[in-house]
Amino acid sequence: VEEAPVTLPQLAAITPSEGSLTGGETVTLSGADLDGVTAVTFGGESATEITVVDSRTVTAVVPHSIDYVSGASVEFEVTGAAGATTASDVNYTYLTLAAVDRQLEYAFAHWDDYNLANYGDFTTWGGDCINFVSQTLVARGWTTTSEWFNDAQEDRAPAFVHVPTFDEWLADNPEFGVAKLSLDQHDQIKIGDVVVFDWDGDGSLDHAQVVSGIEGKSIYMVGHDINTTYRSIDLALEQQGTPAATVAVWSIPLA
């Protein structure tokens, strides 16, 4: 008895066809021969929570945009039992819809193109990492105050540009709704949160970056001082930490 040939999955449409830069939306993929689908990628980034409803319908959770560029349309690749097929006629468009989208859009626009006119560059003053993190929070919608501002490096508050002072300032301002997490609370960490490092474990923070992606237990960051878009916490500790180094994450409310 000859076995029936295994056919490639065919994707015809996606609903909705646009969403947030940081992903998280559940979309419905429709087409034919989808009952064997095991993986879906959006512009090369893997979707999660893939559920095969039937041969014509699959649902999946959209991953974040790789480059965090608003208006960018990406193609799909759908993988089934017979292999993968690229759905070149079906696109998904990433848009800036939420506050955290604005934060990551800014971060990816300025990780290696410093916004000198508005914020200067503190690299030669000891590091620009928290100056950059603060800028992304302004882009997210946080309002500067007399305790937290930077006027093109000409005048600034320490909390905007100095990691330990920023950390203390956040702790002293519960109205922002932030919560400090350990890496053991991995399931609560999300894109847009702020990672802070104490390289020597001496109680004084040294570095900060913004979470740009999460894959399993791996957390990736965008930031200055070793300018990068997807630097893992593990790599940062390997490059700059000591065995006594500690890491914490400021969880930023999505609202």
Side-chain angles (χ1 to χ4, degrees), residues 7-233:
T7 56
L8 287 170
Q10 301 298 318
L11 184 61
I14 179 169
T15 307
S17 60
E18 58 185 30
S20 166
L21 289 176
T22 49
E25 293 90 348
T26 297
V27 295
T28 298
L29 313 177
S30 58
D33 300 311
L34 301 179
D35 43 328
V37 167
T38 58
V40 179
T41 60
F42 288 62
E45 190 75 10
S46 296
T48 58
E49 299 181 36
I50 298 167
T51 301
V52 176
V53 179
D54 53 41
S55 64
R56 295 179 297 176
T57 310
V58 170
T59 63
V61 174
V62 180
H64 64 81
S65 165
I66 293 177
D67 297 321
Y68 291 101
V69 176
S70 186
S73 294
V74 297
E75 294 183 351
F76 292 91
E77 187 171 84
V78 183
T79 303
T85 181
T86 300
S88 57
D89 294 331
V90 181
N91 293 313
Y92 184 85
T93 302
Y94 284 100
L95 300 174
T96 304
L97 301 176
V100 66
D101 294 335
R102 295 193 298 271
Q103 179 188 15
L104 270 294
E105 182 180 28
Y106 180 93
F108 272 65
H110 295 286
W111 70 275
D112 65 345
D113 182 12
Y114 287 30
N115 188 349
L116 300 177
N118 292 315
Y119 297 105
D121 178 3
F122 287 81
T123 300
T124 60
W125 295 37
D128 196 65
C129 65
I130 199 64
N131 180 38
F132 177 74
V133 168
S134 292
Q135 291 172 46
T136 73
L137 294 174
V138 172
R140 185 169 176 148
W142 287 26
T143 302
T144 56
T145 70
S146 60
E147 296 180 335
W148 184 72
F149 75 96
N150 174 15
D151 183 10
Q153 202 170 358
E154 297 300 321
D155 192 15
R156 69 273 171 199
F160 202 100
V161 300
H162 182 242
V163 183
T165 309
F166 172 87
D167 187 72
E168 294 171 4
W169 173 74
L170 270 190
D172 291 341
N173 287 273
E175 65 271 19
F176 286 106
V178 298
K180 205 167 195 179
L181 307 176
S182 70
L183 294 184
D184 291 337
Q185 296 168 287
H186 181 276
D187 60 336
Q188 299 179 49
I189 299 170
K190 57 196 179 303
I191 290 172
D193 286 350
V194 176
V195 185
V196 290
F197 295 85
D198 176 354
W199 298 133
D200 304 310
D202 61 3
S204 179
L205 295 176
D206 303 292
H207 187 55
Q209 292 190 263
V210 175
V211 176
S212 58
I214 301 172
E215 295 180 8
K217 293 294 184 181
S218 297
I219 298 172
Y220 298 90
M221 307 169 295
V222 56
H224 287 178
D225 299 345
I226 305 183
N227 301 337
T228 49
T229 52
Y230 290 106
R231 185 190 190 200
S232 71
I233 287 179

